[in-house]
């Protein structure tokens, strides 16, 4: 079974530029999560999708971050415009539907904003 | 809101020895799930072990076992016969199971394995 795929693996941009990250979850996983992991900290949930609907985006900075999940499969996370404090690793995870199901993580995208 | 605390920023253990990583959490719920994830330098989060709060029996996965103390809200990870490949960041995580929450992570413990 293929794991969660993410691209790109690394991205360097100037502040105020825009950037997009892509995630392909494990086949059959209805729930998809985006986490932000700042250096030295644990990941923090940004947004959770159930199929193509948003379940929780309470911690997503909506003035600059947006996310979508087309057709309930792939997802993209966009930052526009980027700030220096957005430098982090962005992790995508997926899980089957159901309480307490295990979340499986992708390799992450490391973003550096200069 | 739930919080997860890992009080050991770094731990060091000799190869083949046993080490215990600590985790405490705060919640008002009675039904939830706890996880330990491993994050090597490659940054990929790998599930080590999970525990359902309604189960009194401590979870075990090969060399990895937990000591789950629900009343004390404690969830420690024991690694037996430590191997060089165990070196990584270890994160304790909480999940409420309500369906609308992601994982709440601690700040992590950096585990060093000395040969």
């Amino acid at each position: 079974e293929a794991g969660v795929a993410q691209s790109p693996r690394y991205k360097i941009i100037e502040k105020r530029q825009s950037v997009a990250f892509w995630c392909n979850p494990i086949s059959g996983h209805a729930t998809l999560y985006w986490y932000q992991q700042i250096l030295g900290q644990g990941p923090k949930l940004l947004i959770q999708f159930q199929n193509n609907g948003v379940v929780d985006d309470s911690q997503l900075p909506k003035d600059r971050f947006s996310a979508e999940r087309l057709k309930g499969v792939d997802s993209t996370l966009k930052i526009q415009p980027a700030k220096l404090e957005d430098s982090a690793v962005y992790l995508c995870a997926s899980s089957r539907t159901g309480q307490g199901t295990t979340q499986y993580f992708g390799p992450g995208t490391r973003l550096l904003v200069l | 809101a739930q919080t997860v605390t890992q009080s050991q920023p770094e731990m060091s253990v000799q190869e083949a020895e046993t080490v215990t990583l600590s985790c405490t959490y705060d919640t008002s719920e009675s039904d939830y799930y706890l996880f330990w994830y491993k994050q090597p330098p490659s940054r990929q989060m790998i599930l080590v072990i999970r525990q359902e709060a309604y189960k009194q029996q401590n979870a075990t996965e090969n060399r990895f076992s937990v000591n789950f103390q629900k009343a004390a809200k404690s969830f420690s990870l024991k690694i037996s016969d430590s191997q060089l490949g165990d070196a990584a960041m270890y994160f304790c995580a909480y999940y409420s199971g309500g369906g609308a929450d992601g994982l709440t992570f601690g700040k992590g413990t950096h585990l060093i394995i000395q040969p």
Side-chain angles (χ1 to χ4, degrees):
Chain A
E1 180 181 71
V4 177
Q6 290 188 248
S7 68
R9 293 295 310 276
Y10 303 92
K11 190 74 175 179
I12 301 174
I13 61 172
E14 301 278 336
K15 62 182 179 182
R16 291 187 291 273
Q17 286 187 323
S18 62
V19 64
F21 312 128
W22 173 83
C23 173
N24 179 245
I26 293 173
S27 177
H29 283 194
T31 308
L32 185 148
Y33 309 82
W34 283 101
Y35 290 85
Q36 180 192 58
Q37 185 178 20
I38 293 173
L39 185 65
Q41 299 182 19
K44 181 187 81 171
L45 179 69
L46 291 176
I47 189 168
Q48 175 184 348
F49 291 94
Q50 179 77 18
N51 294 307
N52 62 351
V54 175
V55 175
D56 180 8
D57 64 356
S58 57
Q59 299 191 79
L60 187 73
K62 298 181 187 63
D63 57 333
R64 298 183 300 105
F65 285 66
S66 64
E68 61 181 4
R69 189 180 184 194
L70 300 175
K71 301 180 181 179
V73 182
D74 293 5
S75 178
T76 57
L77 177 70
K78 297 179 182 178
I79 308 174
Q80 182 179 11
K83 293 185 175 182
L84 297 178
E85 59 260 36
D86 297 332
S87 294
V89 176
Y90 291 85
L91 297 166
C92 180
S94 70
S95 70
R96 297 187 183 280
T97 303
Q99 285 196 356
T101 54
T102 298
Q103 295 182 27
Y104 295 92
F105 285 80
T109 296
R110 183 186 294 271
L111 173 67
L112 178 60
V113 182
L114 301 176
Chain B
Q2 293 84 10
T3 58
V4 176
T5 302
Q6 294 180 250
S7 58
Q8 306 152 316
E10 186 173 280
M11 292 283 286
S12 180
V13 64
Q14 291 287 129
E15 194 176 3
E17 296 292 309
T18 295
V19 64
T20 299
L21 308 184
S22 301
C23 172
T24 58
Y25 56 95
D26 185 26
T27 183
S28 58
E29 302 187 9
S30 59
D31 192 18
Y32 48 88
Y33 303 81
L34 296 164
F35 302 83
W36 278 98
Y37 279 89
K38 168 185 177 181
Q39 189 178 44
S42 67
R43 309 296 297 184
Q44 178 120 29
M45 282 282 192
I46 302 165
L47 177 69
V48 175
I49 201 165
R50 64 174 263 155
Q51 174 81 43
E52 293 89 346
Y54 63 86
K55 289 186 177 179
Q56 293 187 343
Q57 186 174 6
N58 290 324
T60 299
E61 288 289 340
N62 301 314
R63 298 183 294 108
F64 299 87
S65 61
V66 298
N67 183 4
F68 174 49
Q69 301 289 329
K70 191 172 183 179
K73 297 179 182 176
S74 171
F75 182 61
S76 61
L77 174 70
K78 186 173 83 171
I79 306 174
S80 303
D81 186 25
S82 297
Q83 300 176 2
L84 294 177
D86 295 333
M89 285 293 293
Y90 285 80
F91 290 94
C92 178
Y94 169 100
Y95 179 70
S96 67
D101 294 313
L103 293 165
T104 299
F105 285 88
K107 289 189 174 183
T109 296
H110 181 210
L111 179 63
I112 298 169
I113 312 294
Q114 296 185 355

